Short mmCIF file of all heavy atoms in Angstrom, two decimals:
data_model
loop_
_atom_site.label_atom_id
_atom_site.label_comp_id
_atom_site.label_asym_id
_atom_site.label_seq_id
_atom_site.Cartn_x
_atom_site.Cartn_y
_atom_site.Cartn_z
N ASP A 107 0.83 -1.21 0.00
CA ASP A 107 0.00 0.00 0.00
C ASP A 107 0.87 1.25 0.00
O ASP A 107 0.57 2.22 -0.72
CB ASP A 107 -0.93 -0.01 1.21
CG ASP A 107 -1.90 1.16 1.20
OD1 ASP A 107 -2.68 1.28 0.23
OD2 ASP A 107 -1.88 1.96 2.16
N TYR A 108 1.92 1.25 0.79
CA TYR A 108 2.84 2.40 0.81
C TYR A 108 3.50 2.58 -0.55
O TYR A 108 3.59 3.69 -1.07
CB TYR A 108 3.91 2.20 1.89
CG TYR A 108 4.96 3.29 1.90
CD1 TYR A 108 4.70 4.50 2.55
CD2 TYR A 108 6.18 3.14 1.24
CE1 TYR A 108 5.65 5.52 2.56
CE2 TYR A 108 7.13 4.15 1.24
CZ TYR A 108 6.86 5.34 1.89
OH TYR A 108 7.80 6.35 1.88
N GLU A 109 3.97 1.50 -1.14
CA GLU A 109 4.66 1.58 -2.43
C GLU A 109 3.74 2.16 -3.51
O GLU A 109 4.14 3.02 -4.29
CB GLU A 109 5.16 0.20 -2.85
CG GLU A 109 6.10 -0.46 -1.86
CD GLU A 109 7.38 0.31 -1.63
OE1 GLU A 109 7.74 1.13 -2.50
OE2 GLU A 109 8.02 0.10 -0.60
N LYS A 110 2.51 1.68 -3.53
CA LYS A 110 1.56 2.15 -4.54
C LYS A 110 1.25 3.64 -4.35
O LYS A 110 1.24 4.41 -5.31
CB LYS A 110 0.26 1.34 -4.46
CG LYS A 110 0.38 -0.07 -5.00
CD LYS A 110 0.41 -0.10 -6.52
CE LYS A 110 -0.92 0.33 -7.12
NZ LYS A 110 -0.88 0.32 -8.60
N LYS A 111 0.99 4.04 -3.11
CA LYS A 111 0.55 5.41 -2.86
C LYS A 111 1.68 6.42 -2.96
O LYS A 111 1.42 7.62 -3.11
CB LYS A 111 -0.15 5.48 -1.50
CG LYS A 111 -1.51 4.78 -1.52
CD LYS A 111 -2.19 4.81 -0.17
CE LYS A 111 -3.57 4.14 -0.25
NZ LYS A 111 -4.23 4.03 1.06
N THR A 112 2.91 5.97 -2.89
CA THR A 112 4.06 6.87 -3.07
C THR A 112 4.70 6.70 -4.44
O THR A 112 5.76 7.27 -4.69
CB THR A 112 5.12 6.62 -1.99
OG1 THR A 112 5.60 5.27 -2.10
CG2 THR A 112 4.55 6.86 -0.60
N ASN A 113 4.04 5.92 -5.31
CA ASN A 113 4.57 5.65 -6.64
C ASN A 113 5.99 5.09 -6.55
O ASN A 113 6.88 5.45 -7.31
CB ASN A 113 4.55 6.92 -7.51
CG ASN A 113 4.69 6.61 -8.98
OD1 ASN A 113 4.30 5.53 -9.44
ND2 ASN A 113 5.24 7.55 -9.74
N TYR A 114 6.18 4.18 -5.60
CA TYR A 114 7.45 3.45 -5.42
C TYR A 114 8.62 4.39 -5.15
O TYR A 114 9.75 4.12 -5.54
CB TYR A 114 7.73 2.56 -6.64
CG TYR A 114 6.57 1.68 -7.00
CD1 TYR A 114 5.70 2.02 -8.04
CD2 TYR A 114 6.29 0.53 -6.28
CE1 TYR A 114 4.60 1.23 -8.35
CE2 TYR A 114 5.20 -0.27 -6.59
CZ TYR A 114 4.37 0.08 -7.61
OH TYR A 114 3.27 -0.70 -7.92
N THR A 115 8.34 5.48 -4.46
CA THR A 115 9.38 6.47 -4.14
C THR A 115 9.47 6.62 -2.63
O THR A 115 8.51 7.02 -1.97
CB THR A 115 9.06 7.83 -4.77
OG1 THR A 115 8.94 7.68 -6.19
CG2 THR A 115 10.15 8.83 -4.46
N PHE A 116 10.64 6.31 -2.08
CA PHE A 116 10.81 6.33 -0.63
C PHE A 116 11.04 7.74 -0.11
O PHE A 116 11.78 8.53 -0.69
CB PHE A 116 12.01 5.45 -0.24
CG PHE A 116 12.32 5.49 1.22
CD1 PHE A 116 11.46 4.91 2.14
CD2 PHE A 116 13.47 6.11 1.68
CE1 PHE A 116 11.74 4.94 3.50
CE2 PHE A 116 13.77 6.15 3.04
CZ PHE A 116 12.90 5.56 3.94
N ASN A 117 10.39 8.02 1.01
CA ASN A 117 10.60 9.26 1.74
C ASN A 117 10.61 8.90 3.23
O ASN A 117 9.68 8.24 3.72
CB ASN A 117 9.47 10.26 1.44
CG ASN A 117 9.54 11.51 2.29
OD1 ASN A 117 9.09 11.51 3.43
ND2 ASN A 117 10.12 12.56 1.73
N SER A 118 11.64 9.28 3.95
CA SER A 118 11.81 8.83 5.33
C SER A 118 10.66 9.27 6.23
O SER A 118 10.23 8.52 7.12
CB SER A 118 13.14 9.31 5.89
OG SER A 118 13.23 10.72 5.84
N ALA A 119 10.13 10.47 6.00
CA ALA A 119 9.04 10.97 6.84
C ALA A 119 7.74 10.20 6.60
O ALA A 119 7.07 9.79 7.56
CB ALA A 119 8.83 12.46 6.60
N THR A 120 7.38 10.01 5.32
CA THR A 120 6.14 9.28 5.04
C THR A 120 6.28 7.81 5.42
O THR A 120 5.30 7.18 5.85
CB THR A 120 5.75 9.41 3.56
OG1 THR A 120 6.79 8.88 2.72
CG2 THR A 120 5.48 10.85 3.20
N TRP A 121 7.47 7.26 5.27
CA TRP A 121 7.69 5.86 5.66
C TRP A 121 7.53 5.69 7.18
O TRP A 121 6.87 4.76 7.64
CB TRP A 121 9.07 5.39 5.22
CG TRP A 121 9.44 4.04 5.77
CD1 TRP A 121 10.40 3.77 6.70
CD2 TRP A 121 8.85 2.78 5.44
NE1 TRP A 121 10.45 2.43 6.96
CE2 TRP A 121 9.50 1.80 6.22
CE3 TRP A 121 7.83 2.40 4.57
CZ2 TRP A 121 9.18 0.45 6.14
CZ3 TRP A 121 7.49 1.04 4.50
CH2 TRP A 121 8.16 0.09 5.27
N ALA A 122 8.11 6.61 7.95
CA ALA A 122 7.99 6.53 9.40
C ALA A 122 6.53 6.64 9.83
O ALA A 122 6.07 5.90 10.71
CB ALA A 122 8.82 7.63 10.05
N GLU A 123 5.79 7.54 9.20
CA GLU A 123 4.37 7.69 9.51
C GLU A 123 3.61 6.40 9.19
O GLU A 123 2.75 5.96 9.97
CB GLU A 123 3.78 8.86 8.72
CG GLU A 123 2.30 9.10 8.96
CD GLU A 123 1.74 10.22 8.08
OE1 GLU A 123 2.51 10.79 7.29
OE2 GLU A 123 0.53 10.48 8.19
N TYR A 124 3.93 5.80 8.06
CA TYR A 124 3.28 4.56 7.64
C TYR A 124 3.56 3.43 8.63
O TYR A 124 2.65 2.72 9.07
CB TYR A 124 3.77 4.20 6.24
CG TYR A 124 3.23 2.91 5.69
CD1 TYR A 124 1.89 2.77 5.34
CD2 TYR A 124 4.08 1.82 5.49
CE1 TYR A 124 1.41 1.58 4.81
CE2 TYR A 124 3.60 0.63 4.96
CZ TYR A 124 2.27 0.51 4.63
OH TYR A 124 1.80 -0.66 4.11
N VAL A 125 4.82 3.25 8.99
CA VAL A 125 5.19 2.20 9.94
C VAL A 125 4.51 2.42 11.28
O VAL A 125 4.00 1.47 11.89
CB VAL A 125 6.73 2.15 10.11
CG1 VAL A 125 7.13 1.24 11.28
CG2 VAL A 125 7.39 1.67 8.82
N ASN A 126 4.46 3.64 11.74
CA ASN A 126 3.91 3.94 13.06
C ASN A 126 2.40 3.76 13.14
O ASN A 126 1.85 3.67 14.24
CB ASN A 126 4.31 5.35 13.49
CG ASN A 126 5.78 5.46 13.86
OD1 ASN A 126 6.39 4.47 14.27
ND2 ASN A 126 6.35 6.64 13.70
N ARG A 127 1.73 3.67 11.99
CA ARG A 127 0.29 3.35 12.02
C ARG A 127 0.07 1.90 12.43
O ARG A 127 -1.03 1.55 12.89
CB ARG A 127 -0.34 3.60 10.64
CG ARG A 127 -0.41 5.06 10.25
CD ARG A 127 -1.56 5.31 9.28
NE ARG A 127 -1.48 4.51 8.08
CZ ARG A 127 -0.93 4.91 6.94
NH1 ARG A 127 -0.39 6.12 6.85
NH2 ARG A 127 -0.91 4.13 5.88
N ALA A 128 1.06 1.06 12.24
CA ALA A 128 1.03 -0.34 12.70
C ALA A 128 -0.17 -1.10 12.18
O ALA A 128 -0.81 -1.88 12.90
CB ALA A 128 1.06 -0.38 14.24
N ASP A 129 -0.49 -0.90 10.89
CA ASP A 129 -1.65 -1.60 10.34
C ASP A 129 -1.34 -2.29 9.00
O ASP A 129 -2.23 -2.52 8.20
CB ASP A 129 -2.83 -0.65 10.18
CG ASP A 129 -2.54 0.52 9.24
OD1 ASP A 129 -1.42 0.59 8.70
OD2 ASP A 129 -3.44 1.36 9.04
N ARG A 130 -0.08 -2.63 8.78
CA ARG A 130 0.26 -3.37 7.57
C ARG A 130 -0.27 -4.80 7.63
O ARG A 130 -0.26 -5.42 8.71
CB ARG A 130 1.78 -3.40 7.37
CG ARG A 130 2.35 -2.11 6.86
CD ARG A 130 3.84 -2.23 6.60
NE ARG A 130 4.64 -2.16 7.82
CZ ARG A 130 5.95 -2.35 7.86
NH1 ARG A 130 6.60 -2.70 6.75
NH2 ARG A 130 6.62 -2.24 9.00
N PRO A 131 -0.71 -5.35 6.52
CA PRO A 131 -1.13 -6.75 6.52
C PRO A 131 0.08 -7.67 6.53
O PRO A 131 1.21 -7.25 6.24
CB PRO A 131 -1.90 -6.89 5.21
CG PRO A 131 -1.26 -5.88 4.30
CD PRO A 131 -0.89 -4.72 5.20
N ALA A 132 -0.15 -8.92 6.85
CA ALA A 132 0.93 -9.90 6.84
C ALA A 132 1.31 -10.27 5.41
O ALA A 132 0.47 -10.28 4.51
CB ALA A 132 0.50 -11.16 7.59
N VAL A 133 2.57 -10.58 5.22
CA VAL A 133 2.97 -11.28 4.01
C VAL A 133 2.35 -12.67 4.09
O VAL A 133 2.42 -13.34 5.14
CB VAL A 133 4.51 -11.38 3.93
CG1 VAL A 133 4.95 -12.32 2.82
CG2 VAL A 133 5.12 -9.99 3.73
N PHE A 134 1.70 -13.10 3.02
CA PHE A 134 0.97 -14.37 3.05
C PHE A 134 1.84 -15.51 3.61
O PHE A 134 2.96 -15.73 3.16
CB PHE A 134 0.50 -14.76 1.64
CG PHE A 134 -0.50 -13.82 1.04
CD1 PHE A 134 -0.30 -13.30 -0.23
CD2 PHE A 134 -1.65 -13.46 1.72
CE1 PHE A 134 -1.22 -12.45 -0.80
CE2 PHE A 134 -2.57 -12.60 1.16
CZ PHE A 134 -2.36 -12.09 -0.11
N GLY A 135 1.28 -16.20 4.62
CA GLY A 135 1.94 -17.38 5.16
C GLY A 135 2.98 -17.10 6.23
O GLY A 135 3.43 -18.04 6.91
N SER A 136 3.36 -15.83 6.42
CA SER A 136 4.46 -15.56 7.35
C SER A 136 4.12 -15.83 8.82
O SER A 136 4.95 -16.40 9.54
CB SER A 136 4.97 -14.13 7.16
OG SER A 136 3.97 -13.17 7.46
N PRO A 137 2.94 -15.43 9.32
CA PRO A 137 2.65 -15.75 10.72
C PRO A 137 2.66 -17.26 10.98
O PRO A 137 3.16 -17.73 12.00
CB PRO A 137 1.25 -15.16 10.93
CG PRO A 137 1.12 -14.09 9.90
CD PRO A 137 1.86 -14.63 8.70
N GLU A 138 2.12 -18.01 10.01
CA GLU A 138 2.09 -19.47 10.16
C GLU A 138 3.49 -20.05 10.18
O GLU A 138 3.78 -20.99 10.93
CB GLU A 138 1.26 -20.08 9.03
CG GLU A 138 -0.22 -19.73 9.05
CD GLU A 138 -0.54 -18.37 8.45
OE1 GLU A 138 0.39 -17.69 7.96
OE2 GLU A 138 -1.73 -17.99 8.46
N LEU A 139 4.38 -19.50 9.36
CA LEU A 139 5.75 -20.01 9.30
C LEU A 139 6.50 -19.73 10.60
O LEU A 139 7.24 -20.59 11.10
CB LEU A 139 6.49 -19.39 8.12
CG LEU A 139 7.88 -19.95 7.80
CD1 LEU A 139 7.82 -21.45 7.54
CD2 LEU A 139 8.47 -19.22 6.61
N VAL A 140 6.30 -18.54 11.17
CA VAL A 140 6.92 -18.22 12.45
C VAL A 140 6.43 -19.19 13.53
O VAL A 140 7.23 -19.75 14.30
CB VAL A 140 6.62 -16.76 12.85
CG1 VAL A 140 7.05 -16.50 14.30
CG2 VAL A 140 7.32 -15.79 11.91
N ARG A 141 5.12 -19.39 13.59
CA ARG A 141 4.58 -20.29 14.62
C ARG A 141 5.01 -21.73 14.38
O ARG A 141 5.24 -22.48 15.34
CB ARG A 141 3.05 -20.18 14.63
CG ARG A 141 2.54 -18.80 15.09
CD ARG A 141 1.06 -18.83 15.44
NE ARG A 141 0.23 -19.17 14.29
CZ ARG A 141 -0.33 -18.27 13.48
NH1 ARG A 141 -0.14 -16.98 13.69
NH2 ARG A 141 -1.09 -18.65 12.47
N TYR A 142 5.15 -22.10 13.12
CA TYR A 142 5.60 -23.46 12.81
C TYR A 142 7.01 -23.69 13.34
O TYR A 142 7.30 -24.72 13.95
CB TYR A 142 5.56 -23.70 11.30
CG TYR A 142 5.98 -25.09 10.90
CD1 TYR A 142 5.07 -26.15 10.93
CD2 TYR A 142 7.29 -25.37 10.51
CE1 TYR A 142 5.45 -27.43 10.58
CE2 TYR A 142 7.68 -26.64 10.16
CZ TYR A 142 6.76 -27.67 10.20
OH TYR A 142 7.15 -28.94 9.86
N ALA A 143 7.90 -22.73 13.09
CA ALA A 143 9.27 -22.87 13.58
C ALA A 143 9.29 -23.01 15.10
O ALA A 143 9.99 -23.88 15.65
CB ALA A 143 10.10 -21.66 13.15
N GLU A 144 8.50 -22.19 15.79
CA GLU A 144 8.46 -22.29 17.25
C GLU A 144 7.96 -23.66 17.69
O GLU A 144 8.48 -24.25 18.65
CB GLU A 144 7.56 -21.20 17.81
CG GLU A 144 7.52 -21.20 19.34
CD GLU A 144 6.41 -20.32 19.91
OE1 GLU A 144 5.34 -20.25 19.30
OE2 GLU A 144 6.62 -19.73 20.98
N SER A 145 6.97 -24.19 16.98
CA SER A 145 6.39 -25.49 17.36
C SER A 145 7.38 -26.63 17.22
O SER A 145 7.21 -27.69 17.84
CB SER A 145 5.15 -25.78 16.51
OG SER A 145 5.50 -26.17 15.18
N LYS A 146 8.43 -26.42 16.42
CA LYS A 146 9.46 -27.45 16.22
C LYS A 146 10.65 -27.26 17.16
O LYS A 146 11.69 -27.91 16.99
CB LYS A 146 9.93 -27.42 14.77
CG LYS A 146 8.84 -27.79 13.76
CD LYS A 146 8.32 -29.20 13.99
CE LYS A 146 7.21 -29.57 13.03
NZ LYS A 146 6.73 -30.96 13.23
N GLY A 147 10.49 -26.41 18.16
CA GLY A 147 11.56 -26.19 19.12
C GLY A 147 12.65 -25.28 18.63
O GLY A 147 13.78 -25.30 19.15
N VAL A 148 12.33 -24.43 17.65
CA VAL A 148 13.30 -23.52 17.06
C VAL A 148 13.10 -22.12 17.65
O VAL A 148 11.97 -21.63 17.71
CB VAL A 148 13.14 -23.48 15.53
CG1 VAL A 148 14.12 -22.50 14.91
CG2 VAL A 148 13.34 -24.88 14.94
N GLU A 149 14.19 -21.49 18.05
CA GLU A 149 14.13 -20.13 18.58
C GLU A 149 13.96 -19.14 17.43
O GLU A 149 14.69 -19.22 16.43
CB GLU A 149 15.40 -19.81 19.37
CG GLU A 149 15.27 -18.65 20.31
CD GLU A 149 14.57 -19.01 21.61
OE1 GLU A 149 14.17 -20.19 21.79
OE2 GLU A 149 14.41 -18.11 22.45
#
């Protein structure tokens, strides 16, 4: 969403604002992969 709305142009101020909203969606499958690793005794 950030990349699209900034036309793929990074700006430190807008990026910080975006990150601080804390509402990015997950990369598909990533939460499951983290939990899977933990379930196998992996730190």
Side-chain angles (χ1 to χ4, degrees):
D107 185 59
Y108 176 82
E109 302 298 339
K110 287 284 293 179
K111 289 178 178 175
T112 62
N113 198 27
Y114 309 99
T115 302
F116 176 69
N117 174 278
S118 58
T120 60
W121 171 249
E123 180 184 0
Y124 177 69
V125 170
N126 288 333
R127 291 207 303 266
D129 61 0
R130 284 184 281 174
V133 170
F134 295 129
S136 63
E138 294 82 2
L139 188 57
V140 170
R141 294 195 297 267
Y142 181 84
E144 183 192 35
S145 75
K146 296 299 179 179
V148 178
E149 198 79 0

